[in-house]
Amino acid sequence: MRHPFYPSYQEAQRGFSLLESLLVCSIISILIVSASISVQAYTTDLLLRHDAGRLKLFFEKYYARALNRRERIVISVDTAKAQAITKSSHTIGNLVFSPNTQVLLQRNEPISIFLHPTLAASPKSIRLRRGGHECRVVISLRGRFRVSC
C-alpha cells in the first residue's frame, strides 16, 4: 500500500532535482557571459577598423583633390577629429572619430600632413586605439595610404 506523503519511485523520477537545475543554470550563465565578452571584443575591433578605414578614405579623397586641383591641402589630425584645410585656411572637410576611439599623438600635439601634387608626403603613421585594440593608418611616400590592425 502506498503512503500519501511518499510518492512511488516512478513518480519521484519525473522531474529534475534542485541540484541538477542549478547546475544547468550555472553552465548556461557562464556560456552567456563568455559569448557577450567575445561579442563586445569583436564590436570594439570592428568599430576601430571602421574608424581607421574612414581616416584612410579621408586621406585618399583629399589627396585626389590636391592632385586634381593642383593645390596644397593640409590635414590636421587631433585627438577627436581630422580636418582638411586649404592653402587659404578654409576648412573643406571634417572627420569625427567614434566617441571611444583615441588617436595617440606624440607629445599631445596635432599631426599636420601636407598633401601637394608636386611634393612627396613625408611618411607618417597615425595610431588609433579603442579598448585593447590598436590600428595604424600609414602614410607612405607619393600618397599611398594603408591600414594595419
Side-chain angles (χ1 to χ4, degrees):
M1 187 164 195
R2 203 177 81 144
H3 194 277
F5 295 111
Y6 299 114
S8 66
Y9 180 75
Q10 288 84 16
E11 291 174 353
Q13 294 300 317
R14 277 192 278 175
F16 295 108
S17 70
L18 180 63
L19 184 61
E20 291 169 336
S21 299
L22 287 175
L23 183 65
V24 168
C25 288
S26 65
I27 290 172
I28 289 173
S29 65
I30 289 171
L31 289 174
I32 288 173
V33 166
S34 65
S36 67
I37 289 171
S38 66
V39 166
Q40 183 181 12
Y42 177 73
T43 56
T44 298
D45 187 46
L46 193 63
L47 287 171
L48 181 64
R49 287 176 187 262
H50 178 70
D51 277 343
R54 285 177 49 222
L55 183 61
K56 177 185 175 244
L57 289 174
F58 188 76
F59 281 124
E60 288 174 348
K61 176 183 176 181
Y62 289 105
Y63 185 69
R65 179 176 171 156
L67 288 175
N68 288 337
R69 295 188 180 186
R70 297 198 142 309
E71 65 181 350
R72 185 185 72 158
I73 296 176
V74 177
I75 295 183
S76 175
V77 181
D78 203 346
T79 56
K81 66 180 190 254
Q83 277 187 321
I85 303 166
T86 61
K87 184 179 175 181
S88 56
S89 299
H90 288 82
T91 302
I92 55 174
N94 286 318
L95 173 70
V96 179
F97 298 113
S98 299
N100 293 331
T101 301
Q102 301 171 345
V103 179
L104 303 176
L105 304 172
Q106 295 175 354
R107 293 172 272 165
N108 293 329
E109 296 177 3
I111 300 171
S112 294
I113 296 140
F114 298 97
L115 303 176
H116 196 274
T118 59
L119 298 174
S122 59
K124 293 192 182 200
S125 176
I126 299 171
R127 294 176 18 203
L128 302 174
R129 181 180 292 162
R130 184 182 182 97
H133 304 276
E134 187 173 307
C135 280
R136 289 178 186 261
V137 178
V138 180
I139 303 148
S140 62
L141 297 174
R142 291 286 176 196
R144 289 190 177 85
F145 311 99
R146 66 181 169 86
V147 174
S148 62
C149 292

